[in-house]
Amino acid sequence: MPGRTRDGGIEPSSGGAKVMCHGAGIAVHVLNGADLGAARMQMALSLGWHIVLACFGVGMPAITLIAEWRGHRSGDSHYRLLARRWAKAMGVLFAVGAVSGTILSFEMGLLWPGMMGVYGEVIGLPFSLEGIAFFIEAIFVGIYLYAWDRLPPRAHLLAGVPIVLAGVASAFFVVSANAWMQRPTGFQVKDGRVVSVDPWGAMFNPATPPMTTHMILAAFMVAGFGMASVYAVAMLRGRRDRYHRLGLLLPLTVAAVITPVQIGVGDWAAHAVADQQPVKLAAMEGVFRTGRGVPLHLGGIAIDGEMRYALELPYGLSLLAHWDPNAEIHGLEEVPPGDRPPVNVVHWAFQIMVAFGFALLALAAWLAWEWRRRRDLPRSPWFLRAAAASGVAAVLALESGWVVTEVGRQPWIVFRVLRTSQAVNPAPGLVYGFVLVTVVYLLLTVATVYVLRRLARDVPVPVAPQERDISGYKVV
């Protein structure tokens, strides 16, 4: 016979699952044991893998269209060749991203039925709209790839515009759903049931504007720095022709222009966290005790309820979070230990994101300074080395930021409404799914790298008969 838990829930008669009431007053299943960890690891793996491809899906089409537009406008065949090669890579990444995105959509329901089953009607709208945006993007990707030289140049260029818009819209819808998990609105709970559902109010919750803007700009940065880094490596190997210089300069310029804007948006997002999720801010900065005039911590390790070995900037956190050096910062002491995120993980992920963000800002400033002086790339090989590393740096900043967002919300899957442990599928054996998905992602990674390397091989490109206009250029 099942017994009562201390919080009023019902213990299971056997197995690892039990039923208890969460903070919103709705009965949900709770899973104990290694399967919860496996579910969290599987979701982290899927999101961490897919988010990189999603960034290229958002940013790469726009950069490709700029290259095509420049090629038509200037008559420079190098721009057109870049556009065609990027379009092929874009098609490969879109196909792989569709696979990982499909896996994620199934995981939302299979791994977290406690959230989707109860709150699906609240947060289902952005997922539905994202599906429409995905189909629009898929249709026009097909048209864009097939219609080279089959449509007039202007019509072909315009066929790529919906890809850009749909990619940005997809990012907005998905991140708005995640923003709801950070700042849940658009519903009420009465007698253990979700009522007064307002899907639009849920989608446009207070966290949506800063989070979606921050993510979309990050996508363009990852795509721009990532594409530029490929050509920086080629130039370091001695390939200094116009094709490779443009291949470096165009995406790097796009990313460099966006980077300072992203720093400002990041500050906006940090202010939103300070107002809406003070516990997450406390974990980001390793603040355990509430106080005024709180310093900013650079580095350091949280040990026994205090931040040690950190460089402290007096009044820094109060000033940055609230534009007031004596503003109050809420410490982790205000919530029970069980309601705190893992401080060191969140703190160091935030430090890494900020460090790489400012490093990329320095690279952008270097490019802008030299371009203003000489209308050319910096001549130092260190610039090419930095540009070659910028792609990895942008991805690390992206992943670190996502860790701050997701781990900083723990132990809640829906902030202060539903715990992660209460939302997970109570069925045993989730660890086997994690192993299977890990194998799938390993195979996808190998296949994607293999295909992209094939595209970059030392052969005359493009090889299709209809691509005569640039057949005279051999990529080396």
Side-chain angles (χ1 to χ4, degrees):
M1 292 292 291
R4 289 284 177 182
T5 63
R6 286 187 299 176
D7 53 10
I10 302 173
E11 290 282 11
S13 56
S14 62
K18 63 182 180 180
V19 179
M20 61 186 298
C21 294
H22 61 65
I26 298 176
V28 293
H29 293 279
V30 180
L31 180 70
N32 292 319
D35 283 332
L36 174 59
R40 296 180 66 175
M41 290 298 296
Q42 180 176 335
M43 203 67 195
L45 173 64
S46 296
L47 283 170
W49 204 91
H50 179 75
I51 195 172
V52 178
L53 290 180
C55 286
F56 279 94
V58 172
M60 198 169 184
I63 298 173
T64 302
L65 287 188
I66 294 173
E68 184 181 0
W69 172 73
R70 288 287 299 163
H72 292 316
R73 188 175 179 84
S74 65
D76 190 332
S77 62
H78 300 92
Y79 280 114
R80 297 202 299 275
L81 178 56
L82 284 168
R84 293 186 186 229
R85 300 202 70 174
W86 289 345
K88 291 181 178 179
M90 186 175 74
V92 172
L93 295 177
F94 179 84
V96 179
V99 174
S100 58
T102 303
I103 293 173
L104 267 174
S105 64
F106 280 108
E107 287 176 340
M108 290 296 292
L110 291 174
L111 295 179
W112 314 109
M115 182 183 74
M116 299 305 295
V118 177
Y119 298 98
E121 59 180 317
V122 181
I123 201 57
L125 177 63
F127 287 121
S128 301
L129 295 176
E130 196 277 335
I132 296 173
F134 170 76
F135 282 116
I136 293 174
E137 186 178 6
I139 291 169
F140 280 93
V141 164
I143 293 173
Y144 186 77
L145 295 177
Y146 179 76
W148 283 102
D149 293 336
R150 292 183 172 88
L151 285 176
R154 179 173 296 181
H156 183 263
L157 187 64
L158 292 175
V161 174
I163 303 174
V164 178
L165 298 178
V168 172
S170 291
F172 175 84
F173 293 135
V174 170
V175 178
S176 67
N178 187 273
W180 176 83
M181 295 163 68
Q182 314 288 335
R183 186 69 168 83
T185 57
F187 69 98
Q188 295 181 6
V189 176
K190 289 184 179 178
D191 300 325
R193 297 183 58 192
V194 173
V195 298
S196 303
V197 174
D198 178 9
W200 293 102
M203 191 167 77
F204 291 98
N205 62 81
T208 293
M211 283 189 63
T212 52
T213 307
H214 201 39
M215 184 66 241
I216 291 169
L217 292 180
F220 278 93
M221 287 179 62
V222 168
F225 285 120
M227 295 167 69
S229 65
V230 174
Y231 295 90
V233 171
M235 292 182 70
L236 284 171
R237 293 175 177 174
R239 300 172 184 175
R240 304 294 181 97
D241 53 76
R242 180 170 175 76
Y243 170 81
H244 287 91
R245 288 173 59 83
L246 291 177
L248 168 65
L249 183 60
L250 198 157
L252 186 60
T253 301
V254 172
V257 169
I258 291 174
T259 299
V261 181
Q262 176 71 316
I263 298 292
V265 172
D267 180 70
W268 176 26
H271 278 82
V273 170
D275 293 335
Q276 301 164 11
Q277 295 177 290
V279 174
K280 179 188 288 187
L281 178 70
M284 290 162 58
E285 291 295 339
V287 177
F288 287 87
R289 282 171 285 281
T290 300
R292 295 184 178 275
V294 175
L296 186 70
H297 291 141
L298 300 180
I301 303 174
I303 301 175
D304 296 333
E306 62 177 320
M307 183 59 66
R308 299 182 183 178
Y309 315 117
L311 176 64
E312 294 187 352
L313 302 181
Y315 305 99
L317 181 57
S318 292
L319 180 62
L320 290 176
H322 299 289
W323 301 120
D324 179 357
N326 291 311
E328 184 178 57
I329 300 295
H330 298 278
L332 290 164
E333 65 179 0
E334 295 189 6
V335 297
D339 288 354
R340 301 172 187 174
V343 177
N344 282 320
V345 174
V346 179
H347 175 64
W348 271 102
F350 182 66
Q351 299 272 307
I352 292 171
M353 179 190 70
V354 173
F356 280 123
F358 277 96
L360 294 172
L361 180 65
L363 178 64
W366 191 357
L367 173 64
W369 173 259
E370 289 293 327
W371 191 262
R372 181 173 179 178
R373 290 178 57 220
R374 302 185 298 106
R375 288 291 188 272
D376 198 359
L377 291 169
R379 294 172 179 170
S380 170
W382 283 105
F383 177 81
L384 292 179
R385 294 184 184 115
S390 66
V392 175
V395 170
L396 290 176
L398 170 78
E399 297 284 7
S400 300
W402 200 245
V403 168
V404 173
T405 301
E406 296 300 279
V407 181
R409 191 189 59 235
Q410 299 302 321
W412 308 96
I413 190 170
V414 182
F415 189 60
R416 290 182 175 174
V417 173
L418 180 65
R419 293 180 183 274
T420 306
S421 59
Q422 295 170 318
V424 71
N425 192 331
L430 296 184
V431 66
Y432 300 113
F434 170 55
V435 173
L436 176 62
V437 168
T438 302
V439 173
V440 169
Y441 280 121
L442 284 174
L443 295 175
L444 277 176
T445 302
V446 172
T448 304
V449 172
Y450 174 78
V451 173
L452 291 178
R453 286 180 64 85
R454 290 272 300 179
L455 288 178
R457 277 188 172 180
D458 181 15
V459 295
V461 290
V463 296
Q466 74 273 17
E467 300 172 351
R468 292 186 297 273
D469 60 325
I470 52 177
S471 60
Y473 186 86
K474 180 179 177 67
V475 175
V476 294

